[in-house]
Amino acid sequence: MARPIMEAGCRFEHVFCSVATRAQLTIEGIAASLPELDINWRIDESLYTFSARDLLNWVHRLDESLDEVIMVGHNPAMTEFSNAMGNGSISNMPTCGYAQLQFPVGRWEEVGPGTGTLEKFLAPKLLK
């Protein structure tokens, strides 16, 4: 999944990962598959959640200097967040699934339900 995610436009510049081992193994695997990017990430306890509302609260606290972030988290929060904030309908965000949302807002605190556009969705089964 690493190369298709990169080819979809993901720059992996500001990556935040849940404290969960499985989430960390996911980003470690992606980083190992893309050594040319020298991917670094920060562990964030707030991403160990199953609530889309918690993810939205996390987004609202992001530093305004960041223009793109990658969240490595958990379901059902990731699926519900993508569906609520974007205009798409993802039935389930699988392990190593990728949803790219664009938010035409000036500040992270302006992100809310329906403010985003689902630009890309990738899942392992879709690439076989």
Side-chain angles (χ1 to χ4, degrees):
M1 285 298 295
R3 194 133 322 259
I5 291 171
M6 182 186 76
E7 290 169 357
C10 182
R11 299 179 303 192
F12 293 102
E13 289 180 0
H14 305 287
V15 180
F16 298 88
C17 182
S18 163
V19 297
T21 301
R22 187 171 180 183
Q24 291 180 52
L25 289 173
T26 297
I27 193 59
E28 286 171 5
I30 289 173
S33 296
L34 299 170
E36 69 274 18
L37 294 183
D38 191 28
I39 298 171
N40 295 296
W41 58 90
R42 288 181 256 176
I43 303 299
D44 192 318
E45 288 186 30
S46 297
L47 293 177
Y48 186 67
T49 182
F50 306 101
S51 162
R53 166 77 45 207
D54 289 347
L55 292 181
L56 181 58
N57 291 336
W58 181 85
V59 166
H60 286 166
R61 294 189 305 269
L62 285 168
D63 187 302
E64 293 301 333
S65 68
L66 304 176
D67 63 347
E68 174 186 294
V69 297
I70 309 303
M71 296 187 297
V72 182
H74 309 279
N75 262 333
M78 299 300 279
T79 300
E80 291 172 2
F81 181 85
S82 295
N83 288 337
M85 302 307 132
N87 63 342
S89 179
I90 298 170
S91 61
N92 179 54
M93 180 79 68
T95 299
C96 213
Y98 174 72
Q100 185 182 90
L101 297 167
Q102 296 287 330
F103 295 99
V105 297
R107 301 175 45 88
W108 288 111
E109 66 184 15
E110 296 173 12
V111 171
T115 60
T117 303
L118 179 63
E119 297 291 328
K120 304 240 175 21
F121 175 64
L122 302 175
K125 288 182 181 180
L126 297 175
L127 299 178
K128 291 183 179 184

